[in-house]
């Protein structure tokens, strides 16, 4: 939203003469809420896990442990935010190692888009 020379990003809320106001209800809907979206997400996760295992073998110990922990959260969690956080951690490492991490990074980006972001 733009007002004069002021640019606003995100929510802008104006409340006048209210009583008992609670706040904003911000609900998000993810593509994975549909059976087709959930199935596509699970297929992508199944394809990603072996790529992360291969990547882990080529990493220094600290990075390998980070990817291993992320694998458990990516494969085991149905909570979109837990999965997103794990994907972002693994993706950062995959991106940092360049060509070696490119296949995993591409799939991570696909999964993140399925999660709505």
């Amino acid at each position: 939203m733009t007002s004069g020379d002021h640019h606003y990003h995100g929510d802008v809320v104006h409340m006048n003469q209210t009583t008992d106001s609670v706040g904003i209800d911000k609900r998000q809907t993810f593509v994975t809420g549909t059976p087709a979206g959930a199935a596509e997400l699970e297929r992508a996760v199944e394809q990603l896990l072996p790529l992360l295992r291969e990547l882990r073998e080529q990493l220094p110990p600290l990075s390998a442990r980070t990817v291993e922990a992320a694998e458990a959260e990516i494969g085991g969690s149905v909570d979109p935010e837990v999965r997103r956080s794990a994907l972002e951690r693994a993706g950062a490492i995959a991106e940092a190692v360049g060509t070696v991490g490119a296949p995993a990074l591409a799939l991570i980006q696909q999964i993140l888009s399925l999660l709505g972001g």
Side-chain angles (χ1 to χ4, degrees):
M1 179 169 113
T2 303
S3 175
D5 292 329
H6 303 283
H7 300 280
Y8 300 96
H9 300 281
D11 298 328
V12 177
V13 178
H14 301 278
M15 298 173 68
N16 299 310
Q17 300 177 349
T18 63
T19 57
D20 299 325
S21 297
V22 176
I24 300 173
D25 182 0
K26 295 180 73 162
R27 298 179 190 188
Q28 295 180 338
T29 304
F30 298 100
V31 173
T32 58
T34 66
E40 184 178 356
L41 174 66
E42 292 310 313
R43 275 192 305 274
V45 167
E46 287 174 16
Q47 292 172 352
L48 176 62
L49 294 175
L51 292 176
L52 291 177
R53 283 190 286 277
E54 289 174 24
L55 175 63
R56 196 168 19 110
E57 293 172 3
Q58 302 175 53
L59 296 172
L62 181 59
S63 295
R65 284 192 300 273
T66 301
V67 170
E68 184 176 25
E71 282 177 59
E73 292 176 351
I74 292 166
S77 180
V78 292
D79 180 346
E81 289 308 312
V82 170
R83 218 175 225 174
R84 176 182 308 285
S85 176
L87 287 162
E88 289 171 349
R89 288 192 314 273
I93 291 172
E95 185 174 26
V97 296
T99 306
V100 172
L105 181 60
L107 204 44
I108 287 169
Q109 290 170 336
Q110 177 187 345
I111 294 169
L112 286 171
S113 79
L114 289 171
L115 288 173

